[in-house]
Amino acid sequence: LLRLRARLARSQSGLGRGLLAVLSRDRLDEDAWEQIEESLLTADVGVGATSEIVERLRNRTKVLGTRSPAELRALLSEELVTALLPELDRSLHTLPVAGRPAVVMVVGVNGTGKTTTCGKLARVLVADGRTVLLGAADTFRAAAADQLQTWGARVGAETVRGPEGGDPASVAFEAVKAGTAAGVDTVLIDTAGRLHTKVGLMDELGKVKRVVEKQGPVDETLLVLDATTGQNGLTQARVFTEVVDVTGIVLTKLDGTAKGGIVISVQRELGVPVKLIGLGEGADDLAPFDPQQFVEALLG
Ligand code: GDP
């Protein structure tokens, strides 16, 4: 929690400080409520969620006669956790199933942090005592396979790659095959995220998935989303959820934005739980998403 707080605080304390300043006023007048609303909107909590949170907070403070800043903070914290849908299942399906490795596909627009996320996730799994194989199915970006292989070497995971410009689906197929033969626990497949046409993306990712599924189901499809791209990123993300069955979101670059409230919008808009968050470029900068801890860090 302390590390999370430090990481978020670097860019993020805006929300905490702004809100806490309002909450420590003597009176919660209209102006104060407007500022609370403003702070939440600025943090990308989204219009719908913001008005719900403020409405509930107003009612509860009225009913409870809340006055002290500490009580208000506690109520706000509760409302934010509620808005983060704490009941969602955020477990990762990375455990082997019936004699085959778990297969995890990592999808998203280029530059969001897909390859880095594959590397970090591999590290987490390896540190947990599991064996991992990486599949470099982003065959369009020349450096992507090198980058993934470098991560693999660093964390102790084999990488299966194909010829540059080759068929991503065939690399993914070979990766699952090699992983099954080697008896590894998890195969992580990095995919290409060229945002050309929706049809092109659908064809490409759909094919990767279909071809992989010849050897067994895809257990987890993680959509990587860059927190700094805000509502724009959300629109792009929606295309992916229409193309493949996304089972979890990885929200990256939360260390570089004051818009941590985007977690709330993402889950509301896409209907998919945020499972992991990226808090930096380093190998240890991937954390499971925990609503309670996140709100605590957010409020500083
Ligand atoms: P891809 O094209 O989606 O595979 O993206 P990359 O994995 O190559 O990442 C793009 C850039 O974002 C790289 O410079 C990464 O180091 C950086 N990056 C990825 N995740 C994070 C994160 O959580 N925080 C920060 N600050 N940078 C990140």
Side-chain angles (χ1 to χ4, degrees):
L1 174 60
L2 285 176
R3 245 187 91 241
L4 175 63
R5 186 174 287 166
R7 275 299 151 94
L8 287 178
R10 220 187 282 155
S11 49
Q12 182 107 31
S13 47
L15 176 63
R17 233 181 277 137
L19 280 171
L20 294 178
V22 180
L23 297 181
S24 13
R25 291 182 182 192
D26 313 335
R27 275 162 26 91
L28 276 181
D29 50 15
E30 276 314 305
D31 183 46
W33 285 113
E34 254 171 50
Q35 281 200 33
I36 292 174
E37 197 168 280
E38 193 63 42
S39 300
L40 293 172
L41 287 173
T42 307
D44 253 346
V45 169
V47 178
T50 295
S51 50
E52 277 175 29
I53 291 169
V54 171
E55 180 70 22
R56 288 172 56 95
L57 206 58
R58 283 181 85 130
N59 287 336
R60 290 183 70 192
T61 51
K62 208 182 291 167
V63 171
L64 299 169
T66 313
R67 282 289 171 269
S68 88
E71 281 171 341
L72 275 169
R73 184 191 183 282
L75 287 182
L76 174 63
S77 165
E78 269 177 40
E79 292 304 334
L80 285 170
V81 172
T82 303
L84 283 168
L85 311 173
E87 71 283 1
L88 289 179
D89 178 13
R90 294 171 211 276
S91 53
L92 281 172
H93 306 136
T94 50
L95 289 172
V97 205
R100 64 171 181 85
V103 176
V104 179
M105 263 176 73
V106 180
V107 306
V109 178
N110 278 342
T112 51
K114 271 190 313 295
T115 306
T116 309
T117 296
C118 285
K120 291 181 196 169
L121 182 55
R123 177 173 168 103
V124 170
L125 296 173
V126 169
D128 249 19
R130 302 192 219 160
T131 46
V132 176
L133 184 137
L134 298 167
D138 181 355
T139 56
F140 294 93
R141 195 160 62 86
D146 291 340
Q147 199 186 327
L148 192 68
Q149 197 160 18
T150 304
W151 271 105
R154 225 163 122 189
V155 307
E158 285 289 320
T159 304
V160 168
R161 51 189 295 175
E164 195 179 319
D167 179 17
S170 110
V171 176
F173 183 87
E174 291 304 325
V176 176
K177 198 169 138 195
T180 307
V184 300
D185 297 330
T186 310
V187 176
L188 295 181
I189 300 171
D190 188 18
T191 64
R194 298 172 305 156
L195 205 62
H196 36 43
T197 63
K198 186 169 157 181
V199 174
L201 182 74
M202 184 140 21
D203 284 353
E204 200 171 289
L205 275 184
K207 186 177 167 202
V208 169
K209 188 158 189 263
R210 274 197 311 280
V211 169
V212 164
E213 282 173 345
K214 287 181 182 174
Q215 296 171 85
V218 172
D219 300 281
E220 183 92 65
T221 303
L222 295 174
L223 172 62
V224 179
L225 204 59
D226 177 343
T228 65
T229 57
Q231 301 298 320
N232 236 345
L234 256 180
T235 310
Q236 296 179 344
R238 199 167 297 114
V239 176
F240 283 85
T241 61
E242 287 163 12
V243 174
V244 281
D245 188 14
V246 174
T247 55
I249 309 273
V250 183
L251 198 60
T252 59
K253 310 189 193 182
L254 273 167
D255 53 309
T257 176
K259 297 183 175 295
I262 190 81
V263 187
I264 294 175
S265 329
V266 164
Q267 293 186 150
R268 275 174 74 109
E269 296 280 314
L270 304 179
V272 181
V274 171
K275 292 190 172 178
L276 297 164
I277 52 178
L279 296 161
E281 298 185 272
D284 296 316
D285 297 329
L286 187 74
F289 178 67
D290 178 287
Q292 193 83 49
Q293 285 192 357
F294 189 77
V295 167
E296 281 309 304
L298 207 60
L299 291 177

